[in-house]
Amino acid sequence: MRLHAQHQPIALMRTDCHVCRSEGLSPRSQVLVIAGDRQVQALLYQIESELLAPGQVALSEAAWDELGIADGDPVLVRHTPVLESLSGVRRRMYGQRLAQADMAAIVRDVAKGRYTDVHLAAFLTATAALPLDAAETIHLTGAMVDVGERLRWRAPVVVDKHCVGGLPGNRTTPLVVAIAAANGLVMPKTSSRAITSPAGTADTMETLAPVELDMDTLRRVVDAEGGCVAWGGAMHLSPADEIFVRIERELDIDTEGQLIASVLSKKIAAGATHVVIDIPVGPTAKVRSDADARQLAQRLQDTGAHFGLAVRCLLTDGTQPVGRGIGPALEARDVLAVLRNEPDAPPDLRARAALVAGAVLELGGAAAPGTGTELALATLARGHAWDKFQRICAAQGGMREPPVAAYVEPLLARRAGRVIGIDNRKLARLAKLAGAPESRAAGVLLRAPLGSAVERGEPVLLVHAETPGELAYALDYARTVEDVVVIG
Amino acid sequence: MRLHAQHQPIALMRTDCHVCRSEGLSPRSQVLVIAGDRQVQALLYQIESELLAPGQVALSEAAWDELGIADGDPVLVRHTPVLESLSGVRRRMYGQRLAQADMAAIVRDVAKGRYTDVHLAAFLTATAALPLDAAETIHLTGAMVDVGERLRWRAPVVVDKHCVGGLPGNRTTPLVVAIAAANGLVMPKTSSRAITSPAGTADTMETLAPVELDMDTLRRVVDAEGGCVAWGGAMHLSPADEIFVRIERELDIDTEGQLIASVLSKKIAAGATHVVIDIPVGPTAKVRSDADARQLAQRLQDTGAHFGLAVRCLLTDGTQPVGRGIGPALEARDVLAVLRNEPDAPPDLRARAALVAGAVLELGGAAAPGTGTELALATLARGHAWDKFQRICAAQGGMREPPVAAYVEPLLARRAGRVIGIDNRKLARLAKLAGAPESRAAGVLLRAPLGSAVERGEPVLLVHAETPGELAYALDYARTVEDVVVIG
C-alpha cells in the first residue's frame, strides 16, 4: 500500500498472526524486523483484515528503505533487545552527569533507530533542564562523530562556516562558499535543514540546485570547484543529529550543548580544519545578549580545540532579519540578487556575507588580517562569486529557478509611522505557519525594514503560501498578534 | 481494516487526496478529525493505494471509539490549532515554575489528547529533572481532578487506601476492601493498572472479576456491598493520569510529585474522605530510606489537607516481596489463599493486609485506636472477609478463577546456603520480561523467601509465561544477572 510515515519504520501484522501470539506482541510494541544481515526497529500496529495473510507483514516506506528488500522476501519479527543505554538517560534525568561511555552508548542506540520518540524527548529535555557541561558536550560531540561517516580531504586547510541561526533570512552560506572557492580555498559545505526556523541553508539551496549529494558526487564537486553547498543529512556525517533535530523541532527547543555538538560534530565529520561561526545577537534572535554570545563562542572554541578544530566566532547584529525573504525560495531570490549585483539586491545581506566570507578568507590564509571583507566585496562586485556559484550548481546537478508561491497576501500597516521594531520570532513563526520550510515557495517577504517610514494601509509584509489552508493558518496567526512589525 | 494502535488515534489518507494537498498535510502531521460535535486529534499517515478513495479517511480503533461514528459518516480533517500550553512546558524545561493557570492549561490539553508522546515525555522529564514543588504538586493534583469525573457519596466517611508500590506482590487491596466492607465501612476502591511494576491491583483483580465498571455499576456494587475493587481508568476519574502513566511506563520513571498528584487526584475524584497510604521502605523498594519515606508521607499529608482529605501513612518493611506470586494471576492466588484461610497461605501477606486494614478501620472510625489490626485478623479468620469478597466479585459481574501459565521454568540455586538478599527491582523486571502485566498468567513465583535455607540445584524462583518467546526473553535476562536472589 506504500505507507508513508516520514522517518518512522512501521510493521503491520494481523492480530491473529501466530508470530504475534507466540512472541506476545501487542499494538505499539517495538519490534525488530530482520532481513539477512540488515534489521530495523519498527513500531507494530495490528489489523483485523484479509489484506494480510497470517504470518505476513506490511512495512512503511522507511522500513522498506532500511531493509533494502523486495515484496515477498522473508523477514524475521521479534522483540527488541533490552535497551541498556536508557539507564543512562534515566540517571541524567535525575541530575547525574554522563561519562563518555554512557554518552557513546546512548548516541549509538539513537543512531541505530532504537530510541522511541518518548526516549528521545526525555534525553533532550533532560539536557535542557540541566544543561550539558563542558565534558558532556565533548562526549556528545565525539559520540556523534563516531556513529557517522567522516570525510577526509587532501588539502591541509579546509574551511567551513556556520550561523547559529535565530535570525530569519540570514542566508549568507551560498555567498560565502562562492567567495571562498573563487579565492582558491577548499570549502566542502554541508548544511542542515531547518530545526525550528522557517528555512535551513539546505532548504534554501535546494530551490537552486540538488543538495542530496552522495559522497562521490560531493567529492567530485569539491575537487572540481573547491566548494559545494550540500545537505549534510544525505552524507550521514552525523546521523544521530538528524534524529535529535526532528524531536527538537517538535519541542521547539535548541539547547546550547546540543547546538555545539550538532554544529561541531558535522564540521569535524566533514573534515574541516578552520571554521567561522556567525552568532547574531539581538533581543529576539536565538542569542539575546553579548554575554550569552561570548559564553557560547568560548564553549564552541574550547570544544572545537579538543578535536583540533580552529574556531573563530563573529558576534553580529541580530536585531532584524537579513535580506528581505524568509522561507526557502524567497531567501534564494535574495542570494541570487546579491550574486548578480542587481541594483535592488539587499545591501544588508551583501554586507553580512562579505563580513563572514572575509573572516573565512583570513582564517583560511587567503587574505591578510584585516583585508578579508574588502577582498570578499571585490569578489562579488567583479562577478567572480556569481561565476563560481553557477559552476557549483551545475556540478551539483544543474541550476534551477526557485519556485513561486500560488497565494500571496499582504499584511498592511495599521498606522503611519516609522518601523521601530521587528519580532524575529513571530516573523519566523508566521513564515512557518505559511508552510515553510516544507512548502518551498512559502514564507514572508519583509517590505519595511527597521527605520523605514510607512503609510497607513501600506503593505509591511507579504505572506506567501502554496495552499489556501496554509495561507489562512498564517493570516489567522497574524491577526492574533499585533507586534510582528512595530510602527512607532 | 480495524487498525489496532492501542490508545493512538490514527488517520490514514491518500497522498494525492485533495484535502491533504490543500491543507498542506504531510505524513506524521497531527490532524483534527471532526464529526459533529465530537473531535479527536490523530496522527496522519498517508498511503498510495486504491484501498482508499481520494477524500476518504481510514481510522484506528481508538479514533472510531472517540468519535462514536459509523462507517461512511462524513468527517472534517484539518490542522490542529496552535498548542499554547506548550510554552509552559518549555518554560518548565528551562527551570521556571508553573503557576496554577499554566498547569491547568497543560493538563486540559493532555486530557483532550492534544499532546504528542514527545510533548508528554518532555513535560514528565522536566518535572523529574527539577522536581515539582509543593505549590506545583497542588496545582497538578487539582488540575487532574478538574478534567475528570468526580464521585460523590452519601456516607460522611468514605475510606480508601493506596500503596506506593515498588514492592512486588504486595497485593493487600482486595483483602483490605473485603475487611473494611465486612466491618460496615464504605470503601469504593478504584485501582490503577501497573505503571512500571509487573502488576497493578486492577490487573490482579481482573483475573478474579470484571474491573472495568461504569459509574452506575460501581455505584450499585458499593451501595449493595459497601466496597468494590474497580479499575479507575474506566471511571475517567483522572483521565490525564492514564495518559501520563503510559509515558512514565515507557520511560520507567515515577517521580514524587507525579506520584502524589496521581494518587491523590484519584482519591479526591473518587470521593474519599480518609485515606491510608502504605509506603514500603527498603533498599530495592521504590522508597529506599526512612528519611525519603517520611518526606513523601509529609507531602502526601500536606497536599491531601489542601483538598480536605485526611491522609495517614504507614511506613512498612520493603526489604522483600510480600506473598509469593509476582504477576496478576499469581498474586490473585495469594489473595485467595489468605481469604480462604488456606494452611499454606502466605503469612506475610496476611499480616500486611491486617496492618493496613487495621489503620483503615481506625481512621474510618470502625475500630478504636490500637485495635484495628486485631479486628482485621479476626474478620479474616472468621471467614467474613471471604464472604464479603465473593459478594463483591459477584456484584462486579461474577467471580472467576485466575488463568494458569502454559510455560513454567524453574531458576535453580547455584549453591547451597541461606537466602540473604532479594532484589525487588530485578525480580520485577524478570516478571515483566516474562510478560506481566499484559500476559495475565505470567510472572514469577518466589520459592525461597529471605532467611530460608536452600540446597544447590533447588528451585528458588519459577518463571511463568504464556508464550515461549516471553519465557525465553525472561530466562535470557535471568542468565545475565546473578543476584536476583542472593544466597550467602
Side-chain angles (χ1 to χ4, degrees):
Chain A
M1 61 169 80
R2 299 188 71 82
L3 177 63
H4 295 270
Q6 214 195 28
H7 68 283
Q8 176 78 64
I10 291 174
L12 271 179
M13 297 173 80
R14 276 169 61 141
T15 42
D16 59 356
C17 169
H18 65 279
V19 178
C20 290
R21 297 181 84 92
S22 70
E23 287 284 309
L25 300 176
S26 55
R28 281 181 59 93
S29 298
Q30 292 286 322
V31 295
L32 211 54
V33 183
I34 304 165
D37 58 350
R38 295 171 82 164
Q39 58 180 47
V40 64
Q41 184 169 322
L43 178 61
L44 177 71
Y45 294 131
Q46 293 182 325
I47 59 171
E48 291 175 59
S49 157
E50 299 299 317
L51 283 177
L52 291 175
Q56 235 182 2
V57 53
L59 300 171
S60 66
E61 293 301 293
W64 283 110
D65 291 350
E66 198 68 46
L67 292 173
I69 52 174
D71 203 6
D73 285 353
V75 295
L76 196 73
V77 178
R78 43 167 293 219
H79 277 285
T80 53
V82 174
L83 208 49
E84 293 297 346
S85 71
L86 274 185
S87 65
V89 175
R90 271 190 296 274
R91 276 185 283 120
R92 188 58 175 73
M93 274 189 211
Y94 290 115
Q96 292 177 50
R97 295 288 175 184
L98 293 177
Q100 184 170 22
D102 299 321
M103 198 67 96
I106 290 169
V107 172
R108 259 197 312 271
D109 282 335
V110 167
K112 288 193 172 154
R114 291 177 182 159
Y115 272 39
T116 65
D117 284 2
V118 165
H119 302 148
L120 291 165
F123 176 68
L124 292 171
T125 301
T127 60
L130 173 70
L132 293 170
D133 65 16
E136 286 180 316
T137 305
I138 288 170
H139 299 333
L140 179 60
T141 305
M144 286 168 71
V145 171
D146 288 344
V147 296
E149 301 287 334
R150 196 158 174 179
L151 301 181
R152 312 223 176 242
W153 304 94
R154 271 185 299 271
V157 172
V158 177
V159 295
D160 210 332
K161 62 83 59 180
H162 184 80
C163 173
V164 300
L167 196 58
N170 188 17
R171 201 54 59 211
T172 58
T173 294
L175 299 165
V176 174
V177 169
I179 294 167
N183 284 287
L185 288 177
V186 173
M187 188 164 186
K189 183 80 188 79
T190 58
S191 293
S192 55
R193 301 195 183 279
I195 300 180
T196 59
S197 72
T201 294
D203 302 316
T204 297
M205 185 69 185
E206 201 168 36
T207 69
L208 295 165
V211 296
E212 299 205 356
L213 311 184
D214 59 29
M215 207 70 88
D216 287 347
T217 310
L218 180 109
R219 198 171 279 283
R220 209 176 54 236
V221 174
V222 175
D223 284 350
E225 302 301 338
C228 69
V229 185
W231 175 49
M235 228 72 54
H236 306 294
L237 294 178
S238 186
D241 187 54
E242 295 290 317
I243 295 170
F244 288 139
V245 158
R246 182 169 52 73
I247 301 295
E248 285 164 0
R249 192 187 301 204
E250 187 166 340
L251 289 174
D252 211 352
I253 59 163
D254 198 359
T255 65
E256 189 175 86
Q258 288 288 343
L259 184 153
I260 293 168
S262 170
V263 172
L264 296 186
S265 68
K266 285 179 288 190
K267 302 304 168 207
I268 296 162
T273 59
H274 295 74
V275 181
V276 171
I277 298 179
D278 176 11
I279 306 178
V281 185
T284 60
K286 180 177 286 174
V287 179
R288 302 194 189 193
S289 73
D290 272 356
D292 289 351
R294 277 192 299 270
Q295 180 191 308
L296 175 60
Q298 191 62 53
R299 290 193 61 188
L300 281 162
Q301 277 159 18
D302 293 348
T303 311
H306 184 87
F307 294 95
L309 193 66
V311 175
R312 178 170 163 193
C313 294
L314 299 175
L315 275 55
T316 57
D317 174 19
T319 55
Q320 65 174 333
V322 176
R324 286 179 301 243
I326 297 148
L330 295 171
E331 294 174 20
R333 293 190 181 280
D334 283 350
V335 167
L336 290 178
V338 171
L339 285 168
R340 291 169 175 157
N341 291 308
E342 289 173 7
D344 65 341
D348 56 342
L349 178 61
R350 177 191 290 117
R352 183 70 61 100
L355 180 73
V356 177
V360 168
L361 293 171
E362 292 175 16
L363 188 66
T371 67
T373 304
E374 198 183 336
L375 175 57
L377 285 169
T379 308
L380 281 170
R382 291 182 195 135
H384 296 171
W386 174 224
D387 287 347
K388 178 53 82 179
F389 187 74
Q390 291 175 87
R391 296 175 63 94
I392 290 172
C393 286
Q396 288 190 193
M399 189 158 177
R400 54 199 179 201
E401 276 296 305
V404 176
Y407 301 88
V408 179
E409 185 86 19
L411 289 178
L412 309 179
R414 294 178 198 183
R415 48 182 290 194
R418 204 164 280 281
V419 174
I420 57 168
I422 294 177
D423 189 319
N424 289 327
R425 286 158 198 267
K426 289 178 180 163
L427 205 55
R429 188 158 180 191
L430 187 60
K432 287 162 69 180
L433 291 173
E438 283 78 12
S439 301
R440 295 293 186 226
V444 176
L445 202 61
L446 181 64
R447 294 289 297 266
L450 268 187
S452 59
V454 294
E455 293 302 315
R456 184 167 184 279
E458 191 183 336
V460 291
L461 298 174
L462 296 175
V463 179
H464 289 233
E466 293 185 4
T467 67
E470 286 165 317
L471 183 67
Y473 205 49
L475 294 176
D476 270 1
Y477 174 72
R479 272 188 281 273
T480 66
V481 294
E482 303 230 333
D483 46 353
V484 179
V485 173
V486 184
I487 299 168
Chain B
M1 61 169 78
R2 298 188 72 80
L3 176 62
H4 294 271
Q6 213 195 32
H7 68 283
Q8 176 77 64
I10 291 174
L12 270 180
M13 298 173 80
R14 276 169 62 141
T15 41
D16 60 356
C17 168
H18 66 280
V19 179
C20 290
R21 298 181 84 94
S22 70
E23 289 282 310
L25 300 175
S26 54
R28 281 184 59 96
S29 298
Q30 293 286 322
V31 295
L32 211 54
V33 183
I34 304 165
D37 59 350
R38 295 171 82 164
Q39 58 180 46
V40 64
Q41 184 169 322
L43 178 61
L44 177 71
Y45 293 132
Q46 293 181 326
I47 60 171
E48 290 174 58
S49 158
E50 299 299 317
L51 282 177
L52 290 175
Q56 234 183 4
V57 53
L59 300 171
S60 65
E61 294 300 294
W64 283 110
D65 290 350
E66 199 68 46
L67 293 173
I69 52 175
D71 203 5
D73 285 353
V75 295
L76 197 72
V77 177
R78 43 168 291 221
H79 277 285
T80 53
V82 173
L83 208 49
E84 295 296 345
S85 71
L86 275 185
S87 66
V89 174
R90 270 190 296 273
R91 277 185 282 119
R92 189 59 174 73
M93 274 189 212
Y94 290 113
Q96 292 177 50
R97 294 290 175 183
L98 294 177
Q100 184 170 20
D102 300 321
M103 198 69 95
I106 290 169
V107 172
R108 260 197 312 271
D109 282 336
V110 168
K112 288 192 171 153
R114 292 177 181 159
Y115 272 39
T116 65
D117 283 3
V118 165
H119 301 148
L120 291 165
F123 175 68
L124 293 171
T125 301
T127 59
L130 174 71
L132 294 169
D133 65 16
E136 286 180 315
T137 304
I138 288 171
H139 300 332
L140 179 60
T141 306
M144 286 169 71
V145 171
D146 288 344
V147 296
E149 301 286 334
R150 196 158 173 178
L151 301 180
R152 313 225 174 240
W153 305 93
R154 272 185 299 273
V157 172
V158 175
V159 296
D160 209 332
K161 64 82 63 179
H162 184 80
C163 174
V164 298
L167 196 58
N170 189 16
R171 203 50 62 209
T172 59
T173 294
L175 298 165
V176 174
V177 169
I179 294 166
N183 284 288
L185 288 176
V186 173
M187 188 163 186
K189 185 78 189 76
T190 60
S191 293
S192 56
R193 300 196 183 276
I195 300 181
T196 57
S197 72
T201 294
D203 302 315
T204 298
M205 186 67 186
E206 200 168 37
T207 69
L208 295 164
V211 296
E212 300 207 356
L213 310 184
D214 60 29
M215 207 71 88
D216 287 347
T217 310
L218 180 111
R219 199 170 278 284
R220 207 175 57 235
V221 174
V222 175
D223 284 350
E225 302 301 338
C228 70
V229 185
W231 176 49
M235 228 73 54
H236 305 292
L237 295 178
S238 186
D241 187 54
E242 295 290 318
I243 295 170
F244 288 139
V245 158
R246 183 170 51 74
I247 301 295
E248 285 165 358
R249 192 188 300 203
E250 188 165 340
L251 289 174
D252 211 352
I253 60 164
D254 198 359
T255 66
E256 188 176 88
Q258 287 288 346
L259 184 152
I260 293 168
S262 169
V263 171
L264 295 186
S265 67
K266 286 179 289 189
K267 301 303 168 208
I268 295 162
T273 59
H274 295 73
V275 181
V276 171
I277 298 180
D278 176 9
I279 306 178
V281 185
T284 60
K286 180 177 287 178
V287 179
R288 302 194 189 193
S289 72
D290 271 356
D292 289 351
R294 277 191 299 268
Q295 179 192 308
L296 175 60
Q298 192 61 52
R299 290 193 60 188
L300 282 162
Q301 277 160 17
D302 293 347
T303 311
H306 184 87
F307 295 95
L309 193 67
V311 175
R312 178 169 163 194
C313 294
L314 300 175
L315 275 56
T316 57
D317 173 19
T319 55
Q320 67 173 330
V322 175
R324 286 179 303 243
I326 299 148
L330 295 171
E331 294 175 18
R333 293 191 181 281
D334 283 348
V335 167
L336 291 178
V338 171
L339 284 168
R340 289 167 175 159
N341 291 307
E342 288 173 6
D344 65 342
D348 55 342
L349 178 62
R350 176 191 289 116
R352 183 71 59 101
L355 180 72
V356 177
V360 169
L361 293 171
E362 292 174 17
L363 188 66
T371 68
T373 304
E374 197 183 339
L375 175 58
L377 285 170
T379 308
L380 282 169
R382 289 180 197 135
H384 295 170
W386 175 224
D387 287 348
K388 177 54 80 179
F389 186 75
Q390 291 175 87
R391 296 175 62 96
I392 290 171
C393 287
Q396 288 191 195
M399 190 157 176
R400 54 200 179 200
E401 275 296 305
V404 176
Y407 301 87
V408 180
E409 185 84 20
L411 290 178
L412 308 179
R414 293 178 199 183
R415 48 181 291 193
R418 200 163 283 281
V419 175
I420 57 168
I422 294 176
D423 190 317
N424 289 327
R425 287 159 196 266
K426 290 178 179 164
L427 204 55
R429 188 159 181 191
L430 187 60
K432 286 162 69 181
L433 291 172
E438 284 79 11
S439 301
R440 295 296 187 225
V444 176
L445 202 63
L446 181 64
R447 294 289 297 266
L450 269 187
S452 61
V454 293
E455 294 301 315
R456 184 166 183 279
E458 191 183 335
V460 290
L461 298 174
L462 296 176
V463 178
H464 289 233
E466 293 186 2
T467 68
E470 287 166 317
L471 183 67
Y473 206 48
L475 295 176
D476 270 0
Y477 174 73
R479 271 188 283 271
T480 66
V481 293
E482 302 231 332
D483 45 354
V484 179
V485 174
V486 184
I487 299 167

